[in-house]
Amino acid sequence: MKTIADHGIRFGRIAAMLPVRNIEKAHDFYVGVLGFEKTFENGTPVGFMILKQGNAELHLTLQPTHKAAPFNVAHMLVSDVDALHALCKGHGLRIIKGLQDKDYGLRAFVFEDPDGNRIDVGQVI
């Protein structure tokens, strides 16, 4: 059986899609706290939004009855995990897994965004 690689197909970027109950509140968090920039929005009222920060990209989708999953829905690599951890704590975000050095070469923690989406954050040690 042939695989995708056998056909010469290459994948481009993959962006996390985060469901949110209130897209403006989510925008305010990701832009105002984490420093993302809105690069696209769609719908009236807005039901979809693309946010970027450096090489990171998040897609927000309005889901008014969203119930957060009990697992990580996105993973971010950052240049200063300690600073982001302090920022998250300073803004009262729930820390699911505390900051620690992992045996697989990352210093990492997991937090919940205002909609309960669990984001795993790491920095290469």
Side-chain angles (χ1 to χ4, degrees), residues 12-66:
R13 78 175 159 72
I14 295 176
M17 176 75 73
L18 298 180
V20 298
R21 291 180 295 272
N22 180 317
I23 205 160
E24 290 306 320
K25 281 179 84 173
H27 166 272
D28 292 348
F29 168 71
Y30 282 101
V31 171
V33 175
L34 297 188
F36 280 76
E37 177 184 344
K38 178 172 57 174
T39 61
F40 179 79
E41 66 179 34
N42 190 25
T44 306
V46 175
F48 175 76
M49 189 178 292
I50 297 176
L51 305 175
K52 292 185 180 181
Q53 209 279 17
N55 291 326
E57 185 172 318
L58 291 174
H59 294 190
L60 305 180
T61 180
L62 181 61
Q63 301 294 316
T65 61
H66 167 62

Tab-separated table of all heavy atoms in Angstrom, residues 12-66:
chain	number	residue	atom	x	y	z
A	12	GLY	N	1.731	21.548	5.004
A	12	GLY	CA	2.096	22.892	5.439
A	12	GLY	C	1.765	23.065	6.901
A	12	GLY	O	1.711	22.099	7.658
A	13	ARG	N	1.470	24.272	7.274
A	13	ARG	CA	1.189	24.549	8.678
A	13	ARG	C	-0.087	23.850	9.124
A	13	ARG	O	-0.990	23.606	8.336
A	13	ARG	CB	1.076	26.044	8.922
A	13	ARG	CG	-0.238	26.602	8.479
A	13	ARG	CD	-0.423	28.054	8.826
A	13	ARG	NE	-1.442	28.605	7.966
A	13	ARG	CZ	-2.733	28.329	8.081
A	13	ARG	NH1	-3.156	27.541	9.026
A	13	ARG	NH2	-3.603	28.845	7.247
A	14	ILE	N	-0.128	23.546	10.394
A	14	ILE	CA	-1.338	23.044	11.034
A	14	ILE	C	-1.579	23.970	12.219
A	14	ILE	O	-0.668	24.229	13.003
A	14	ILE	CB	-1.172	21.586	11.507
A	14	ILE	CG1	-0.971	20.661	10.313
A	14	ILE	CG2	-2.379	21.157	12.326
A	14	ILE	CD1	-0.710	19.217	10.686
A	15	ALA	N	-2.776	24.493	12.328
A	15	ALA	CA	-3.097	25.428	13.408
A	15	ALA	C	-4.148	24.819	14.316
A	15	ALA	O	-5.076	24.157	13.852
A	15	ALA	CB	-3.602	26.746	12.826
A	16	ALA	N	-4.001	25.060	15.604
A	16	ALA	CA	-4.989	24.583	16.569
A	16	ALA	C	-6.280	25.379	16.421
A	16	ALA	O	-6.260	26.600	16.288
A	16	ALA	CB	-4.449	24.738	17.989
A	17	MET	N	-7.408	24.675	16.441
A	17	MET	CA	-8.738	25.291	16.417
A	17	MET	C	-9.287	25.218	17.833
A	17	MET	O	-9.489	24.124	18.367
A	17	MET	CB	-9.655	24.551	15.460
A	17	MET	CG	-11.072	25.061	15.430
A	17	MET	SD	-11.267	26.612	14.549
A	17	MET	CE	-11.074	26.043	12.869
A	18	LEU	N	-9.506	26.375	18.448
A	18	LEU	CA	-10.000	26.406	19.816
A	18	LEU	C	-11.456	26.853	19.842
A	18	LEU	O	-11.781	27.953	19.391
A	18	LEU	CB	-9.172	27.376	20.665
A	18	LEU	CG	-7.691	27.046	20.820
A	18	LEU	CD1	-7.018	28.093	21.696
A	18	LEU	CD2	-7.508	25.658	21.405
A	19	PRO	N	-12.335	26.019	20.379
A	19	PRO	CA	-13.729	26.438	20.547
A	19	PRO	C	-13.828	27.390	21.736
A	19	PRO	O	-13.197	27.173	22.770
A	19	PRO	CB	-14.466	25.125	20.822
A	19	PRO	CG	-13.422	24.224	21.384
A	19	PRO	CD	-12.111	24.649	20.802
A	20	VAL	N	-14.615	28.452	21.569
A	20	VAL	CA	-14.790	29.439	22.636
A	20	VAL	C	-16.265	29.812	22.761
A	20	VAL	O	-16.988	29.826	21.770
A	20	VAL	CB	-13.921	30.698	22.405
A	20	VAL	CG1	-12.439	30.343	22.406
A	20	VAL	CG2	-14.283	31.398	21.106
A	21	ARG	N	-16.680	30.109	23.980
A	21	ARG	CA	-18.081	30.487	24.215
A	21	ARG	C	-18.346	31.941	23.847
A	21	ARG	O	-19.449	32.294	23.444
A	21	ARG	CB	-18.454	30.243	25.683
A	21	ARG	CG	-18.517	28.769	26.051
A	21	ARG	CD	-18.898	28.544	27.504
A	21	ARG	NE	-17.909	29.041	28.444
A	21	ARG	CZ	-16.862	28.345	28.886
A	21	ARG	NH1	-16.679	27.102	28.490
A	21	ARG	NH2	-16.013	28.870	29.735
A	22	ASN	N	-17.348	32.798	24.016
A	22	ASN	CA	-17.476	34.219	23.721
A	22	ASN	C	-16.213	34.633	22.971
A	22	ASN	O	-15.137	34.723	23.565
A	22	ASN	CB	-17.642	35.004	25.023
A	22	ASN	CG	-17.785	36.495	24.798
A	22	ASN	OD1	-17.076	37.098	24.000
A	22	ASN	ND2	-18.707	37.094	25.526
A	23	ILE	N	-16.338	34.874	21.683
A	23	ILE	CA	-15.153	35.097	20.855
A	23	ILE	C	-14.457	36.418	21.189
A	23	ILE	O	-13.239	36.513	21.096
A	23	ILE	CB	-15.499	34.964	19.350
A	23	ILE	CG1	-14.252	34.580	18.561
A	23	ILE	CG2	-16.177	36.214	18.811
A	23	ILE	CD1	-14.519	33.976	17.213
A	24	GLU	N	-15.212	37.436	21.608
A	24	GLU	CA	-14.580	38.711	21.966
A	24	GLU	C	-13.771	38.579	23.254
A	24	GLU	O	-12.678	39.132	23.355
A	24	GLU	CB	-15.620	39.825	22.076
A	24	GLU	CG	-16.210	40.226	20.724
A	24	GLU	CD	-15.166	40.593	19.669
A	24	GLU	OE1	-14.158	41.260	19.996
A	24	GLU	OE2	-15.350	40.181	18.503
A	25	LYS	N	-14.291	37.854	24.245
A	25	LYS	CA	-13.533	37.627	25.482
A	25	LYS	C	-12.276	36.810	25.190
A	25	LYS	O	-11.211	37.083	25.734
A	25	LYS	CB	-14.398	36.920	26.520
A	25	LYS	CG	-15.360	37.841	27.228
A	25	LYS	CD	-16.206	37.099	28.235
A	25	LYS	CE	-15.434	36.969	29.528
A	25	LYS	NZ	-16.267	36.403	30.613
A	26	ALA	N	-12.409	35.807	24.324
A	26	ALA	CA	-11.242	34.995	23.959
A	26	ALA	C	-10.215	35.862	23.226
A	26	ALA	O	-9.014	35.775	23.498
A	26	ALA	CB	-11.671	33.818	23.095
A	27	HIS	N	-10.694	36.703	22.314
A	27	HIS	CA	-9.808	37.636	21.599
A	27	HIS	C	-9.067	38.515	22.600
A	27	HIS	O	-7.850	38.681	22.513
A	27	HIS	CB	-10.631	38.491	20.631
A	27	HIS	CG	-9.897	39.686	20.111
A	27	HIS	ND1	-9.902	40.899	20.777
A	27	HIS	CD2	-9.131	39.849	19.010
A	27	HIS	CE1	-9.162	41.755	20.103
A	27	HIS	NE2	-8.685	41.144	19.021
A	28	ASP	N	-9.799	39.081	23.558
A	28	ASP	CA	-9.172	39.968	24.534
A	28	ASP	C	-8.089	39.250	25.339
A	28	ASP	O	-7.046	39.833	25.634
A	28	ASP	CB	-10.225	40.548	25.479
A	28	ASP	CG	-11.170	41.511	24.764
A	28	ASP	OD1	-10.889	41.906	23.613
A	28	ASP	OD2	-12.211	41.844	25.368
A	29	PHE	N	-8.308	37.979	25.668
A	29	PHE	CA	-7.304	37.210	26.397
A	29	PHE	C	-6.074	36.958	25.531
A	29	PHE	O	-4.948	37.277	25.927
A	29	PHE	CB	-7.878	35.882	26.893
A	29	PHE	CG	-6.814	34.941	27.383
A	29	PHE	CD1	-6.145	35.205	28.568
A	29	PHE	CD2	-6.462	33.829	26.650
A	29	PHE	CE1	-5.133	34.348	29.018
A	29	PHE	CE2	-5.462	32.970	27.087
A	29	PHE	CZ	-4.794	33.236	28.276
A	30	TYR	N	-6.278	36.369	24.365
A	30	TYR	CA	-5.131	35.993	23.540
A	30	TYR	C	-4.368	37.204	23.002
A	30	TYR	O	-3.148	37.157	22.881
A	30	TYR	CB	-5.561	35.057	22.404
A	30	TYR	CG	-5.762	33.646	22.903
A	30	TYR	CD1	-7.027	33.148	23.166
A	30	TYR	CD2	-4.673	32.832	23.171
A	30	TYR	CE1	-7.213	31.863	23.666
A	30	TYR	CE2	-4.835	31.552	23.673
A	30	TYR	CZ	-6.103	31.077	23.916
A	30	TYR	OH	-6.267	29.807	24.420
A	31	VAL	N	-5.057	38.292	22.717
A	31	VAL	CA	-4.390	39.505	22.240
A	31	VAL	C	-3.846	40.315	23.418
A	31	VAL	O	-2.667	40.675	23.440
A	31	VAL	CB	-5.355	40.352	21.367
A	31	VAL	CG1	-4.755	41.707	21.043
A	31	VAL	CG2	-5.688	39.600	20.083
A	32	GLY	N	-4.693	40.594	24.397
A	32	GLY	CA	-4.307	41.465	25.499
A	32	GLY	C	-3.334	40.857	26.484
A	32	GLY	O	-2.486	41.554	27.034
A	33	VAL	N	-3.428	39.543	26.716
A	33	VAL	CA	-2.567	38.893	27.704
A	33	VAL	C	-1.388	38.188	27.040
A	33	VAL	O	-0.251	38.350	27.453
A	33	VAL	CB	-3.377	37.898	28.576
A	33	VAL	CG1	-2.468	37.139	29.526
A	33	VAL	CG2	-4.468	38.640	29.349
A	34	LEU	N	-1.656	37.402	26.002
A	34	LEU	CA	-0.578	36.610	25.388
A	34	LEU	C	0.092	37.283	24.191
A	34	LEU	O	1.054	36.752	23.657
A	34	LEU	CB	-1.105	35.229	24.977
A	34	LEU	CG	-1.593	34.340	26.126
A	34	LEU	CD1	-1.895	32.940	25.612
A	34	LEU	CD2	-0.608	34.291	27.278
A	35	GLY	N	-0.411	38.433	23.768
A	35	GLY	CA	0.274	39.200	22.732
A	35	GLY	C	0.034	38.746	21.310
A	35	GLY	O	0.804	39.098	20.410
A	36	PHE	N	-1.017	37.962	21.078
A	36	PHE	CA	-1.352	37.576	19.710
A	36	PHE	C	-1.932	38.783	18.975
A	36	PHE	O	-2.336	39.772	19.591
A	36	PHE	CB	-2.372	36.422	19.704
A	36	PHE	CG	-1.772	35.077	19.935
A	36	PHE	CD1	-1.384	34.681	21.209
A	36	PHE	CD2	-1.593	34.188	18.890
A	36	PHE	CE1	-0.826	33.430	21.432
A	36	PHE	CE2	-1.037	32.938	19.097
A	36	PHE	CZ	-0.659	32.558	20.371
A	37	GLU	N	-1.975	38.692	17.655
A	37	GLU	CA	-2.560	39.721	16.806
A	37	GLU	C	-3.642	39.088	15.939
A	37	GLU	O	-3.428	38.024	15.359
A	37	GLU	CB	-1.473	40.318	15.906
A	37	GLU	CG	-1.965	41.335	14.925
A	37	GLU	CD	-0.849	41.822	14.002
A	37	GLU	OE1	0.336	41.615	14.312
A	37	GLU	OE2	-1.187	42.390	12.944
A	38	LYS	N	-4.780	39.732	15.859
A	38	LYS	CA	-5.851	39.228	14.997
A	38	LYS	C	-5.478	39.524	13.556
A	38	LYS	O	-5.188	40.647	13.196
A	38	LYS	CB	-7.184	39.888	15.339
A	38	LYS	CG	-8.316	39.434	14.424
A	38	LYS	CD	-9.682	39.917	14.845
A	38	LYS	CE	-9.750	41.413	14.953
A	38	LYS	NZ	-11.092	41.912	15.233
A	39	THR	N	-5.493	38.481	12.707
A	39	THR	CA	-5.165	38.658	11.294
A	39	THR	C	-6.350	38.396	10.382
A	39	THR	O	-6.290	38.709	9.198
A	39	THR	CB	-3.995	37.744	10.875
A	39	THR	OG1	-4.372	36.375	11.072
A	39	THR	CG2	-2.738	38.063	11.677
A	40	PHE	N	-7.432	37.813	10.933
A	40	PHE	CA	-8.607	37.525	10.111
A	40	PHE	C	-9.795	37.274	11.025
A	40	PHE	O	-9.635	36.724	12.111
A	40	PHE	CB	-8.356	36.269	9.257
A	40	PHE	CG	-9.517	35.875	8.395
A	40	PHE	CD1	-9.782	36.525	7.195
A	40	PHE	CD2	-10.371	34.852	8.799
A	40	PHE	CE1	-10.872	36.161	6.408
A	40	PHE	CE2	-11.455	34.476	8.013
A	40	PHE	CZ	-11.703	35.137	6.817
A	41	GLU	N	-10.972	37.698	10.557
A	41	GLU	CA	-12.212	37.331	11.234
A	41	GLU	C	-13.283	37.152	10.173
A	41	GLU	O	-13.189	37.705	9.076
A	41	GLU	CB	-12.643	38.358	12.277
A	41	GLU	CG	-13.041	39.697	11.722
A	41	GLU	CD	-13.491	40.664	12.811
A	41	GLU	OE1	-12.948	40.624	13.927
A	41	GLU	OE2	-14.393	41.463	12.523
A	42	ASN	N	-14.295	36.357	10.514
A	42	ASN	CA	-15.337	36.045	9.543
A	42	ASN	C	-16.683	35.963	10.259
A	42	ASN	O	-16.771	35.434	11.360
A	42	ASN	CB	-15.022	34.721	8.841
A	42	ASN	CG	-15.923	34.446	7.676
A	42	ASN	OD1	-16.483	35.357	7.079
A	42	ASN	ND2	-16.075	33.188	7.333
A	43	GLY	N	-17.719	36.452	9.588
A	43	GLY	CA	-19.081	36.338	10.086
A	43	GLY	C	-19.599	37.611	10.709
A	43	GLY	O	-18.844	38.481	11.127
A	44	THR	N	-20.920	37.725	10.729
A	44	THR	CA	-21.604	38.821	11.382
A	44	THR	C	-22.771	38.244	12.162
A	44	THR	O	-23.758	37.862	11.549
A	44	THR	CB	-22.128	39.855	10.351
A	44	THR	OG1	-21.048	40.268	9.526
A	44	THR	CG2	-22.728	41.060	11.041
A	45	PRO	N	-22.678	38.083	13.456
A	45	PRO	CA	-21.516	38.436	14.280
A	45	PRO	C	-20.327	37.506	14.001
A	45	PRO	O	-20.488	36.448	13.403
A	45	PRO	CB	-22.021	38.258	15.701
A	45	PRO	CG	-23.116	37.260	15.595
A	45	PRO	CD	-23.744	37.470	14.247
A	46	VAL	N	-19.159	37.921	14.462
A	46	VAL	CA	-17.936	37.153	14.222
A	46	VAL	C	-18.074	35.766	14.846
A	46	VAL	O	-18.417	35.632	16.017
A	46	VAL	CB	-16.703	37.882	14.788
A	46	VAL	CG1	-15.450	37.025	14.645
A	46	VAL	CG2	-16.524	39.227	14.102
A	47	GLY	N	-17.800	34.745	14.025
A	47	GLY	CA	-17.865	33.373	14.497
A	47	GLY	C	-16.556	32.628	14.335
A	47	GLY	O	-16.408	31.503	14.798
A	48	PHE	N	-15.576	33.273	13.680
A	48	PHE	CA	-14.286	32.634	13.426
A	48	PHE	C	-13.230	33.721	13.391
A	48	PHE	O	-13.443	34.810	12.852
A	48	PHE	CB	-14.306	31.883	12.093
A	48	PHE	CG	-12.988	31.295	11.711
A	48	PHE	CD1	-12.530	30.146	12.320
A	48	PHE	CD2	-12.193	31.905	10.752
A	48	PHE	CE1	-11.295	29.601	11.968
A	48	PHE	CE2	-10.965	31.366	10.394
A	48	PHE	CZ	-10.515	30.214	11.009
A	49	MET	N	-12.054	33.413	13.960
A	49	MET	CA	-10.985	34.394	14.025
A	49	MET	C	-9.633	33.683	13.965
A	49	MET	O	-9.483	32.605	14.540
A	49	MET	CB	-11.130	35.159	15.348
A	49	MET	CG	-10.260	36.348	15.523
A	49	MET	SD	-10.598	37.165	17.132
A	49	MET	CE	-12.248	37.812	16.873
A	50	ILE	N	-8.686	34.286	13.265
A	50	ILE	CA	-7.311	33.781	13.236
A	50	ILE	C	-6.438	34.758	14.004
A	50	ILE	O	-6.489	35.968	13.777
A	50	ILE	CB	-6.791	33.617	11.797
A	50	ILE	CG1	-7.616	32.568	11.048
A	50	ILE	CG2	-5.305	33.239	11.806
A	50	ILE	CD1	-7.239	32.417	9.589
A	51	LEU	N	-5.633	34.205	14.915
A	51	LEU	CA	-4.704	34.988	15.715
A	51	LEU	C	-3.297	34.468	15.475
A	51	LEU	O	-3.085	33.259	15.363
A	51	LEU	CB	-5.035	34.868	17.201
A	51	LEU	CG	-6.457	35.222	17.624
A	51	LEU	CD1	-6.641	34.929	19.108
A	51	LEU	CD2	-6.778	36.658	17.310
A	52	LYS	N	-2.326	35.386	15.406
A	52	LYS	CA	-0.926	34.993	15.211
A	52	LYS	C	-0.041	35.733	16.204
A	52	LYS	O	-0.314	36.869	16.572
A	52	LYS	CB	-0.475	35.300	13.786
A	52	LYS	CG	-1.145	34.442	12.738
A	52	LYS	CD	-0.571	34.711	11.356
A	52	LYS	CE	-1.257	33.833	10.337
A	52	LYS	NZ	-0.724	34.042	8.993
A	53	GLN	N	1.026	35.047	16.584
A	53	GLN	CA	2.076	35.632	17.413
A	53	GLN	C	3.353	34.924	17.029
A	53	GLN	O	3.512	33.730	17.276
A	53	GLN	CB	1.763	35.438	18.895
A	53	GLN	CG	2.323	36.497	19.824
A	53	GLN	CD	3.786	36.289	20.186
A	53	GLN	OE1	4.523	35.558	19.565
A	53	GLN	NE2	4.213	36.989	21.202
A	54	GLY	N	4.259	35.626	16.355
A	54	GLY	CA	5.466	34.978	15.848
A	54	GLY	C	5.079	33.882	14.874
A	54	GLY	O	4.291	34.103	13.955
A	55	ASN	N	5.589	32.675	15.100
A	55	ASN	CA	5.252	31.532	14.240
A	55	ASN	C	4.003	30.800	14.705
A	55	ASN	O	3.569	29.849	14.071
A	55	ASN	CB	6.421	30.541	14.183
A	55	ASN	CG	7.604	31.112	13.433
A	55	ASN	OD1	7.446	31.860	12.483
A	55	ASN	ND2	8.811	30.766	13.873
A	56	ALA	N	3.443	31.223	15.831
A	56	ALA	CA	2.261	30.552	16.385
A	56	ALA	C	0.988	31.086	15.731
A	56	ALA	O	0.876	32.268	15.439
A	56	ALA	CB	2.191	30.767	17.891
A	57	GLU	N	0.035	30.188	15.529
A	57	GLU	CA	-1.253	30.570	14.967
A	57	GLU	C	-2.348	29.793	15.681
A	57	GLU	O	-2.238	28.588	15.884
A	57	GLU	CB	-1.279	30.255	13.476
A	57	GLU	CG	-2.522	30.716	12.780
A	57	GLU	CD	-2.438	30.572	11.266
A	57	GLU	OE1	-1.371	30.889	10.688
A	57	GLU	OE2	-3.427	30.136	10.680
A	58	LEU	N	-3.386	30.506	16.082
A	58	LEU	CA	-4.558	29.902	16.703
A	58	LEU	C	-5.795	30.315	15.928
A	58	LEU	O	-5.907	31.459	15.501
A	58	LEU	CB	-4.718	30.378	18.155
A	58	LEU	CG	-3.694	29.908	19.159
A	58	LEU	CD1	-3.923	30.602	20.504
A	58	LEU	CD2	-3.754	28.400	19.329
A	59	HIS	N	-6.713	29.388	15.787
A	59	HIS	CA	-7.999	29.674	15.161
A	59	HIS	C	-9.065	29.549	16.244
A	59	HIS	O	-9.153	28.518	16.908
A	59	HIS	CB	-8.289	28.692	14.029
A	59	HIS	CG	-7.351	28.823	12.887
A	59	HIS	ND1	-7.554	28.175	11.697
A	59	HIS	CD2	-6.207	29.528	12.724
A	59	HIS	CE1	-6.583	28.465	10.858
A	59	HIS	NE2	-5.740	29.283	11.470
A	60	LEU	N	-9.838	30.600	16.442
A	60	LEU	CA	-10.925	30.589	17.407
A	60	LEU	C	-12.235	30.383	16.667
A	60	LEU	O	-12.481	31.026	15.644
A	60	LEU	CB	-10.989	31.915	18.173
A	60	LEU	CG	-9.718	32.365	18.891
A	60	LEU	CD1	-9.963	33.692	19.600
A	60	LEU	CD2	-9.226	31.311	19.855
A	61	THR	N	-13.068	29.498	17.179
A	61	THR	CA	-14.376	29.269	16.579
A	61	THR	C	-15.441	29.410	17.669
A	61	THR	O	-15.307	28.841	18.749
A	61	THR	CB	-14.472	27.892	15.889
A	61	THR	OG1	-15.773	27.732	15.330
A	61	THR	CG2	-14.182	26.737	16.822
A	62	LEU	N	-16.441	30.213	17.381
A	62	LEU	CA	-17.500	30.467	18.347
A	62	LEU	C	-18.378	29.233	18.502
A	62	LEU	O	-18.965	28.738	17.545
A	62	LEU	CB	-18.348	31.656	17.881
A	62	LEU	CG	-19.499	32.054	18.812
A	62	LEU	CD1	-18.969	32.461	20.186
A	62	LEU	CD2	-20.300	33.192	18.179
A	63	GLN	N	-18.434	28.732	19.729
A	63	GLN	CA	-19.255	27.574	20.096
A	63	GLN	C	-19.908	27.903	21.435
A	63	GLN	O	-19.366	27.567	22.490
A	63	GLN	CB	-18.393	26.302	20.205
A	63	GLN	CG	-17.648	25.931	18.946
A	63	GLN	CD	-18.574	25.545	17.821
A	63	GLN	OE1	-19.535	24.808	18.014
A	63	GLN	NE2	-18.306	26.063	16.634
A	64	PRO	N	-21.054	28.586	21.419
A	64	PRO	CA	-21.657	29.090	22.665
A	64	PRO	C	-21.914	28.036	23.744
A	64	PRO	O	-21.945	28.369	24.924
A	64	PRO	CB	-22.966	29.723	22.197
A	64	PRO	CG	-22.729	30.061	20.754
A	64	PRO	CD	-21.824	28.986	20.238
A	65	THR	N	-22.075	26.788	23.377
A	65	THR	CA	-22.325	25.738	24.375
A	65	THR	C	-21.081	24.884	24.636
A	65	THR	O	-21.189	23.784	25.178
A	65	THR	CB	-23.494	24.840	23.936
A	65	THR	OG1	-23.152	24.220	22.690
A	65	THR	CG2	-24.778	25.639	23.778
A	66	HIS	N	-19.926	25.405	24.273
A	66	HIS	CA	-18.661	24.673	24.430
A	66	HIS	C	-18.448	24.206	25.862
A	66	HIS	O	-18.595	24.963	26.813
A	66	HIS	CB	-17.502	25.575	23.999
A	66	HIS	CG	-16.152	25.075	24.378
A	66	HIS	ND1	-15.634	23.894	23.922
A	66	HIS	CD2	-15.205	25.605	25.188
A	66	HIS	CE1	-14.433	23.710	24.427
A	66	HIS	NE2	-14.143	24.744	25.194
